[in-house]
Amino acid sequence: MFGFKALFAISALISVNALTSTLQQITANFGSNPNNVQMYLYKPTALATPTPLIVAMHYCTGTAQAYFQGTNLAQLADQHGFMVIYPNAPRSGGCWDVNTNATLTHNGGSDSLGIANVVRYAIANWGVDASRVFATGTSSGAMMTNVLMGAYPDIFAAGSLYSGVPYGCFEGPNAWNSQCAEGQLIQTPQQWGDLARSGYPGYTGTRPKVQFWHGTVDTTLYPQNFWEEIKQWTNVFGVSQTPTSNVTNDPQAGYSRASFGPNVQAILAQGVGHTVPEHETDTLNWFGLSALTPGGGTGSTTTTIIGTTPGTTSTAPTSTAPSGATAPHWGQCGGIGWTGSTVCVAPYTCKVSNAYYSQCL
Ligand SMILES: *[C@@H]1O[C@H](CO)[C@@H](O)[C@H](O)[C@H]1NC(C)=O
Ligand SMILES: *[C@@H]1O[C@H](CO)[C@@H](O)[C@H](O)[C@H]1NC(C)=O
């Protein structure tokens, strides 16, 4: 059965004392939730209007609370004004259902339907911007992100997943699929694309853009899954499997960021096992939220392409922070297009996350 080895993705213990709000369980009846997935909301005191939403899904053995504490999405929500929903996997072992036909199918039931319905509720009742709903997750949560990309492409604008497998790769009667996990489920791009499209038969609308991260020495979900994900999402977007760009040492030494046009990005981390640490500010860039500010700023709604894509021009986020003042803890302090302060409030220092984003850490 499922080895619990190294499924913890917490890269740093982050103090949550400085948050403007707290994690609250969602008690509203938000619609059909067959497995009674518990939902937790982080809603900062200052929101952007309309408000983007990120669904953040934990790894096996994890919890909503652990993912809230182990990532800095909540701090970034304070800074940018988006909401975060942390679902909690409804079974012992703490893994998501990523294998049943129900969870893989649009409005088919199981965990994915509960998540889809809480998002629908948030859009209808909490001012969430229906065009800016995103999913991210680690390990089992990464697999679940791909499930949502396939089954609910109408709800999600983008996904960013750390150390997962393609949509449908775990399909079958058992919660753990060794063939897929060990990278032995090899399919053609057409087969993988067809599988993703089967999540919502007949859907012809816009597809969520997908960014995935994987380590080259992952022995829980073998790195072959990275290459199978490339096949899947390039087929879904009808683009070549040859990267349009591949930037080495991005966002850090040993990582490479391969783009396949604006909608598929595959980041390979040399020498990294299971799981690739969260790169939250990078994920926010992928979601186009880096320039978002609380209180009515619309932020960047254009696609921000990180790295260089031949033949295209990257659109730098428009940054509106006041210059002169020092940037706060967690605040942006640099990057392409940034016109605000490059000096952090003491005792924090400005650290480069990538070309588009430096942060006071
Ligand atoms: C779910 O089951 C239906 C009916 O057997 C099938 O047509 C569909 O392809 C399945 N979905 C997935 C994602 O495998
Ligand atoms: C990108 O380049 C790196 C370094 O050469 C390489 O290891 C990686 O496989 C490339 N990525 C893709 C998707 O081809």
Side-chain angles (χ1 to χ4, degrees), residues 16-59:
V16 293
N17 296 332
L19 292 174
T20 66
S21 188
T22 55
L23 191 66
Q24 304 280 350
Q25 185 167 5
I26 298 171
T27 54
N29 176 359
F30 53 82
S32 174
N33 181 15
N35 292 349
N36 194 25
V37 178
Q38 295 185 340
M39 305 290 179
Y40 293 83
L41 174 68
Y42 184 74
K43 181 185 174 186
T45 47
L47 293 169
T49 311
T51 310
L53 169 66
I54 296 176
V55 178
M57 290 164 291
H58 62 75
Y59 39 88

Side-chain angles (χ1 to χ4, degrees), residues 39-340:
M39 305 290 179
Y40 293 83
L41 174 68
Y42 184 74
K43 181 185 174 186
T45 47
L47 293 169
T49 311
T51 310
L53 169 66
I54 296 176
V55 178
M57 290 164 291
H58 62 75
Y59 39 88
C60 287
T61 76
T63 60
Q65 185 76 33
Y67 212 52
F68 165 70
Q69 291 181 335
T71 64
N72 74 355
L73 287 169
Q75 283 81 4
L76 291 167
D78 276 350
Q79 181 189 329
H80 294 286
F82 56 84
M83 294 185 203
V84 189
I85 289 177
Y86 302 86
N88 196 69
R91 57 189 61 78
S92 69
C95 300
W96 297 101
D97 173 10
V98 293
N99 65 288
T100 67
N101 187 283
T103 205
L104 289 165
T105 302
H106 186 72
N107 289 340
S110 195
D111 297 2
S112 68
L113 182 60
I115 293 169
N117 278 337
V118 79
V119 171
R120 289 164 173 155
Y121 184 89
I123 291 168
N125 296 284
W126 298 339
V128 164
D129 183 350
S131 70
R132 287 191 290 174
V133 176
F134 309 99
T136 188
T138 293
S139 191
S140 182
M143 299 191 223
M144 195 61 187
T145 301
N146 265 336
V147 168
L148 295 172
M149 300 297 101
Y152 296 94
D154 55 328
I155 291 182
F156 293 91
S160 174
L161 51 125
Y162 295 86
S163 309
V165 301
Y167 167 93
C169 196
F170 262 45
E171 187 179 17
N174 302 315
W176 188 251
N177 184 320
S178 299
Q179 188 193 14
C180 174
E182 291 168 17
Q184 289 157 9
L185 188 52
I186 312 291
Q187 298 202 83
T188 65
Q190 185 69 42
Q191 286 172 317
W192 280 124
D194 287 346
L195 195 54
R197 284 180 289 270
S198 76
Y200 189 172
Y203 180 74
T204 57
T206 310
R207 296 270 170 185
K209 55 187 215 160
V210 185
Q211 176 193 63
F212 41 91
W213 304 68
H214 219 106
T216 59
V217 293
D218 188 331
T219 54
T220 303
L221 301 173
Y222 281 58
Q224 185 61 33
N225 283 298
F226 173 81
W227 303 102
E228 302 305 309
E229 287 175 312
I230 289 174
K231 292 183 199 170
Q232 180 164 67
W233 296 115
T234 55
N235 181 270
V236 166
F237 282 101
V239 296
S240 169
Q241 285 179 257
T242 305
T244 47
S245 71
N246 184 357
V247 183
T248 51
N249 298 321
D250 183 12
Q252 67 189 69
Y255 285 50
S256 59
R257 185 191 305 271
S259 298
F260 304 80
N263 296 315
V264 182
Q265 194 176 87
I267 298 159
L268 191 61
Q270 287 293 335
V272 176
H274 196 74
T275 55
V276 176
E278 301 271 322
H279 287 63
E280 295 91 336
T281 56
D282 208 300
T283 286
L284 281 203
N285 260 334
W286 180 247
F287 294 164
L289 299 180
S290 297
L292 186 75
T293 49
T298 55
S300 171
T301 53
T302 55
T303 300
T304 302
I305 301 165
I306 303 168
T308 47
T309 304
T312 64
T313 308
S314 298
T315 306
T318 48
S319 306
T320 52
S323 52
T326 53
H329 187 203
W330 306 112
Q332 186 170 1
C333 53
I336 294 169
W338 177 248
T339 57

